[in-house]
Amino acid sequence: MSVLYALAAERQLEAAAAEAKAAQTAHQVLPTEDEALMSSRGEHAVENSTPVALAAHEDARSLIRLIQSEIVAKQMSVAVDTTTLVQEQVRWDECVSGEPVADKACSQTLPGGRLVATYALAAKGDLYRESEVRYEVSGDAQKALDVSILHEVLEATQSQVECQVCYGLMLDPVTTFCGHTLCRKCLTRTLDHSLHCPVCRRGLGLPPSLIGQPSNKTLVDLLNALCPDAVALRFAAAREEEAGGPGELNTPLFVCSLGFPNMPVFLRIFEPRYRLMLRRSLESNREFGMLMYNRYGEPQGDLGSVHFYQYGTMLHIDNHQLLADGTSLIESRGAYRFRVRAHGIHDGYAVGNVERLDDVPTTEEERLEASETSGPPVPDWDVVGQLDRMSTQALLDLGRSFIERMRGRSANWLQQRVLDIHGQPPTDPALFPFWFASVLPISDEEKYKLLPTRTVRARLKIIAGWIRRIESQRCATSQLPPRARVTMRPEAEIEGEGETEDETDAEEVEFTPTSSART
Amino acid sequence: MSAPLPKRIIKETERLQSEPVPGISAIPHEENVRYFDVKVEGPGGSCYEGGVFDLELFLPDDYPMCPPRIRFLTRIYHPNIDRLGRICLDVLKNNWSPALQIRTILLSIQALLGAPNPEDPLNEAVAKQWKENQAEAIKTAREWTQQYAMKK
């Protein structure tokens, strides 16, 4: 065990000794890097990169100052009786370049361990930046000194490179125009809430999403070189944090409205917590679950009376447009249906463990059709029974012919615009009901009944039921006062007669789940 | 079911314990570590001097993106604190920043005790008295401190 540790420490020391050298020479390196940074970008970025680069300088300098003071202080206090012989190695290309090399190569015995001695050599200006060095190891005391100094340097560095938002090691640090450096993700999340620097509150001219905003390269390089293990740990921790809520609650859930498989859903995301959810979704599989808000508090199976309906639709984000104010427009499509098994809250938004819900296999569906249609004839008044006797194809035809009739009457909800968005009525009986529900102006609670279905027939029968009701209302319209027109929307709207507001307009569903998405 | 505690909250809590602020303490509940019992001493030289005020502090789900929720439990006569103990303080609302922390917020509250601002009142009646008869208001504040905020 101790041998391994010593070996690991040894390797670390090699890297750190090189780093001490790099730190010393960083002052000379920095301007060159910035020039490269500026020239490598487009015109627009150049204007912005200057202050960022300057701030990056500041961070790097304060870090270097810190290392300097730690190492120098250490050198002053302890290393009187330990010395190290540092020999500069002349590189072969310098030997053959013909330039005089004698004054570059040097060999000195300096106080302190390897780290301090190398640093001192560089500080004196005696160590050429490109050179390798070789050490004369004088014993365990020297090694112990190096280990303790390395530890102190890391400790001292740590507080400087802690993000002021998450209190962790800065992960992919980004520097603001006002000179403050934070994890990219922390700054982005802060910008979801307000377009001000979290440290000094200056208004930030940064885009709300920091895509394209350069990282503080100097700091990234220093961190990677100084504490690669800590960086790796931090990275892993961040990934785990992103992955979702506690345990198996790894599906982000958006409690908002209804979506159906294969149907488009257009959303505008503006609440800070959902901006975060959206970003994470875009970074992973571009999916999130959409659930309908349970406004009447109906009980949801094992979940009890939760604020959402337990069956939802997984949406896949096809297109995403981030607007200047930080809100987003997304174009998504229903992928599959699911049921929520367990749920929780993660960073303010709902997360859950979901179970995919698929239709029964085709053979089962065919068996069901055969058994239902082969039953004895039912009387005229038994509407449900009559639907059972209809073949799947007949049920589909019923729906499609209803659409045709409504089109003939120029129903509002079948305008070209609606068809452009949702497409023509599908010929697939499994999908037709979802299309139908997406365009038909009836209540969402009614449409929701399609989501838990496991068979094509069940869905077709539900929509056949709607059609029956709509048509019977139409016959009765002349005799009944408007109040009596049952639970559906005013049939005038469905019929396309008269002025109605376009309720099925799914072009842009505006979300205001502010109070809705709380448990 | 709640998410694991963010590292930030763990660190903040540790630091509150290891480097306590004089005159201020915040101790998390065992069963809900987002909920703190807070004690703030009235600042010296103010009309709340000598008093120890109890507050409750709760870190919401999206802390530190959103400010902690905090209110006085001990009754206090102050123009910016209402009868329910709610506090009118910019950093607890619009001026919250995730770079602030429990420590800085509690210091701000202590500073608010030292500098009541009747121009931006939450408690109209107290603010009115403060503006019209400051001496009387301060006297009342002292009495209330005696009555409600003194260790018995």
Side-chain angles (χ1 to χ4, degrees):
Chain A
M1 196 61 190
S2 61
V3 176
L4 275 178
Y5 177 75
L7 277 174
E10 182 94 21
R11 268 181 47 206
Q12 255 185 321
L13 284 174
E14 301 290 353
E19 204 45 46
K21 214 177 69 178
Q24 181 57 29
T25 49
H27 288 278
Q28 299 139 38
V29 181
L30 283 171
T32 348
E33 276 193 0
D34 288 332
E35 279 155 29
L37 202 71
M38 286 167 71
S39 58
S40 69
R41 283 215 205 81
E43 230 179 324
H44 179 68
V46 171
E47 298 164 17
N48 297 342
S49 71
T50 316
V52 173
L54 284 175
H57 260 191
E58 268 319 298
D59 282 320
R61 288 223 169 96
S62 71
L63 193 59
I64 289 163
R65 268 197 296 273
L66 201 76
I67 291 170
Q68 225 163 4
S69 64
E70 281 296 322
I71 292 183
V72 170
K74 200 76 192 173
Q75 187 179 23
M76 293 299 175
S77 61
V78 288
V80 220
D81 46 348
T82 313
T83 55
T84 304
L85 174 67
V86 186
Q87 287 175 304
E88 185 176 356
Q89 302 291 294
V90 177
R91 292 188 339 194
W92 69 270
D93 56 332
E94 287 173 0
C95 296
V96 297
S97 67
E99 285 172 31
V101 292
D103 57 327
K104 278 185 189 164
C106 72
S107 170
Q108 292 185 27
T109 303
L110 293 151
R114 288 183 294 180
L115 277 170
V116 172
T118 314
Y119 186 88
L121 193 65
K124 280 162 80 179
D126 285 352
L127 184 61
Y128 186 56
R129 167 144 64 101
E130 311 278 301
S131 299
E132 298 287 322
V133 286
R134 209 168 65 184
Y135 305 98
E136 186 106 316
V137 182
S138 64
D140 283 350
Q142 183 195 46
K143 198 176 277 176
L145 208 55
D146 279 340
V147 170
S148 78
I149 284 176
L150 182 67
H151 192 69
E152 273 174 54
V153 168
L154 288 180
E155 288 253 297
T157 320
Q158 207 86 40
S159 66
Q160 284 291 303
V161 288
E162 185 178 89
C163 168
Q164 287 197 57
V165 171
C166 67
Y167 288 22
L169 187 70
M170 283 179 188
L171 181 70
D172 189 8
V174 173
T175 301
T176 64
F177 300 101
C178 38
H180 299 108
T181 307
L182 303 149
C183 302
R184 179 182 298 271
K185 291 210 157 115
C186 291
L187 184 56
T188 314
R189 269 188 81 180
T190 305
L191 293 178
D192 286 344
H193 292 259
S194 111
L195 294 174
H196 292 87
C197 170
V199 183
C200 69
R201 294 212 184 85
R202 221 169 297 186
L204 287 180
L206 286 173
S209 158
L210 295 169
I211 303 163
Q213 174 76 14
S215 305
N216 186 328
K217 191 174 179 307
T218 312
L219 198 51
V220 171
D221 290 348
L222 279 171
L223 287 176
N224 285 337
L226 282 172
C227 44
D229 297 345
V231 171
L233 273 177
R234 175 76 179 86
F235 189 76
R239 175 165 289 186
E240 197 170 307
E241 230 167 76
E242 300 269 299
E248 299 284 290
L249 305 181
N250 48 15
T251 304
L253 297 174
F254 188 28
V255 181
C256 177
S257 72
L258 206 52
F260 292 108
N262 209 41
M263 286 294 119
V265 179
F266 300 83
L267 302 167
R268 175 145 181 245
I269 307 284
F270 56 84
E271 259 194 87
R273 54 191 167 145
Y274 292 126
R275 294 186 201 179
L276 177 67
M277 184 196 85
L278 174 65
R279 269 199 308 278
R280 288 180 177 168
S281 165
L282 288 168
E283 281 169 15
S284 60
N285 60 359
R286 298 179 74 94
E287 286 186 349
F288 63 89
M290 185 153 82
L291 296 167
M292 198 168 106
Y293 176 52
N294 186 358
R295 61 177 150 174
Y296 302 118
E298 293 175 41
Q300 299 299 311
D302 310 340
L303 302 175
S305 183
V306 286
H307 67 290
F308 53 80
Y309 282 88
Q310 60 178 330
Y311 289 95
T313 304
M314 193 63 73
L315 298 182
H316 183 270
I317 303 163
D318 292 332
N319 276 305
H320 159 250
Q321 192 189 357
L322 181 70
L323 307 178
D325 62 355
T327 65
S328 290
L329 293 175
I330 64 168
E331 213 182 305
S332 65
R333 191 166 286 273
Y336 57 88
R337 293 170 291 147
F338 64 83
R339 188 179 72 84
V340 178
R341 278 201 289 236
H343 70 108
I345 297 280
H346 181 49
D347 287 331
Y349 60 84
V351 286
N353 176 263
V354 305
E355 170 185 34
R356 187 179 165 136
L357 189 74
D358 284 310
D359 281 345
V360 297
T362 323
T363 48
E364 174 71 7
E365 180 81 43
E366 282 165 356
R367 198 194 55 73
L368 180 75
E369 182 179 6
S371 88
E372 282 190 2
T373 49
S374 62
V378 290
D380 276 358
W381 51 263
D382 183 0
V383 180
V384 176
Q386 280 185 341
L387 292 179
D388 279 344
R389 294 291 167 274
M390 289 170 75
S391 72
T392 303
Q393 186 58 43
L395 286 165
L396 174 65
D397 291 343
L398 177 79
R400 290 180 60 89
S401 63
F402 175 74
I403 292 294
E404 282 312 312
R405 281 203 303 286
M406 290 300 119
R407 252 178 173 171
R409 292 201 190 102
S410 316
N412 248 339
W413 51 280
L414 286 171
Q415 280 175 359
Q416 191 56 42
R417 204 159 56 90
V418 177
L419 296 178
D420 285 346
I421 292 166
H422 294 91
Q424 294 295 326
T427 47
D428 181 347
L431 297 179
F432 180 80
F434 295 137
W435 178 91
F436 189 77
S438 297
V439 300
L440 190 71
I442 61 171
S443 79
D444 281 353
E445 279 78 8
E446 189 65 34
K447 293 177 182 181
Y448 172 75
K449 292 176 180 165
L450 291 180
L451 280 188
T453 57
R454 302 288 310 274
T455 65
V456 175
R457 287 183 64 76
R459 285 199 289 281
L460 285 168
K461 283 190 279 187
I462 289 171
I463 66 160
W466 296 343
I467 293 169
R468 286 278 154 89
R469 277 155 75 184
I470 291 164
E471 295 199 314
S472 66
Q473 280 164 1
R474 200 182 137 244
C475 301
T477 308
S478 47
Q479 293 118 40
L480 288 173
R483 276 288 162 78
R485 292 175 198 170
V486 208
T487 59
M488 303 215 162
R489 293 288 162 81
E491 62 288 345
E493 194 183 304
I494 295 170
E495 297 283 326
E497 303 153 359
E499 292 289 342
T500 48
E501 55 187 291
D502 198 351
E503 295 243 8
T504 39
D505 186 7
E507 196 167 17
E508 188 175 307
V509 182
E510 180 81 18
F511 277 117
T512 42
T514 31
S515 60
S516 64
R518 296 195 189 280
T519 26
Chain B
M1 202 185 286
S2 64
L5 207 59
K7 193 175 170 194
R8 151 138 186 179
I9 295 180
I10 299 169
K11 279 202 175 179
E12 250 195 88
T13 310
E14 279 170 8
R15 284 176 201 179
L16 277 169
Q17 250 85 321
S18 64
E19 308 152 33
V21 195
I24 290 174
S25 77
I27 296 156
H29 276 204
E30 260 173 42
E31 71 279 17
N32 182 358
V33 289
R34 284 175 177 269
Y35 189 93
F36 291 74
D37 285 325
V38 176
K39 285 187 194 302
V40 173
E41 287 175 19
S46 76
C47 45
Y48 308 102
E49 186 172 2
V52 178
F53 297 86
D54 289 325
L55 295 90
E56 59 176 4
L57 183 149
F58 178 72
L59 303 175
D61 277 330
D62 35 5
Y63 180 83
M65 292 303 146
C66 291
R69 295 198 206 123
I70 183 158
R71 80 182 180 102
F72 273 84
L73 295 173
T74 307
R75 288 195 71 184
I76 181 166
Y77 192 80
H78 191 291
N80 309 109
I81 299 164
D82 74 3
R83 277 179 35 221
L84 299 174
R86 293 177 299 191
I87 308 160
C88 176
L89 191 61
D90 61 345
V91 286
L92 286 174
K93 297 182 179 103
N94 296 340
N95 269 345
W96 167 255
S97 146
L100 294 169
Q101 43 174 309
I102 298 172
R103 174 190 304 266
T104 49
I105 286 298
L106 295 181
L107 281 168
S108 301
I109 289 171
Q110 201 179 34
L112 185 71
L113 295 187
N117 178 10
E119 298 306 322
D120 182 20
L122 190 63
N123 193 330
E124 292 286 352
V126 177
K128 190 161 173 278
Q129 175 77 334
W130 217 278
K131 280 193 278 194
E132 285 169 2
N133 188 348
Q134 193 172 351
E136 191 60 31
I138 288 173
K139 190 166 161 265
T140 312
R142 280 222 171 84
E143 285 166 10
W144 281 40
T145 305
Q146 279 290 333
Q147 195 177 342
Y148 303 111
M150 291 291 180
K151 285 267 158 58
K152 302 216 166 88

